[in-house]
Amino acid sequence: MNRIAFGTAIGMALGFAVAFGSFGQMLIVALFTALGYGVAKVVAGDVDLRSYRITRSGK
């Protein structure tokens, strides 16, 4: 999925959250969207967490 389609889908989801809920519910949708995006980047291999773990452990 390209960035334009992804951004459009996110905008629609947040728009529905505001239209049918409150601002707090929209923030919850945005939080889970960001979390899902991060997990998808890790699963796709775009983000390597091994280098983070090595630098954090001091080795």
Side-chain angles (χ1 to χ4, degrees):
M1 178 181 295
N2 64 17
R3 292 179 192 226
I4 294 172
F6 182 72
T8 302
I10 297 303
M12 286 176 51
L14 293 176
F16 281 124
V18 169
F20 298 111
S22 67
F23 184 73
Q25 291 172 340
M26 187 216 48
L27 290 178
I28 292 171
V29 170
L31 173 71
F32 280 101
T33 300
L35 183 65
Y37 179 75
V39 169
K41 291 291 256 184
V42 170
V43 170
D46 293 341
V47 176
D48 186 19
L49 295 178
R50 285 181 281 171
S51 62
Y52 176 74
R53 291 177 68 196
I54 291 171
T55 57
R56 295 289 293 168
S57 66
K59 293 182 181 179

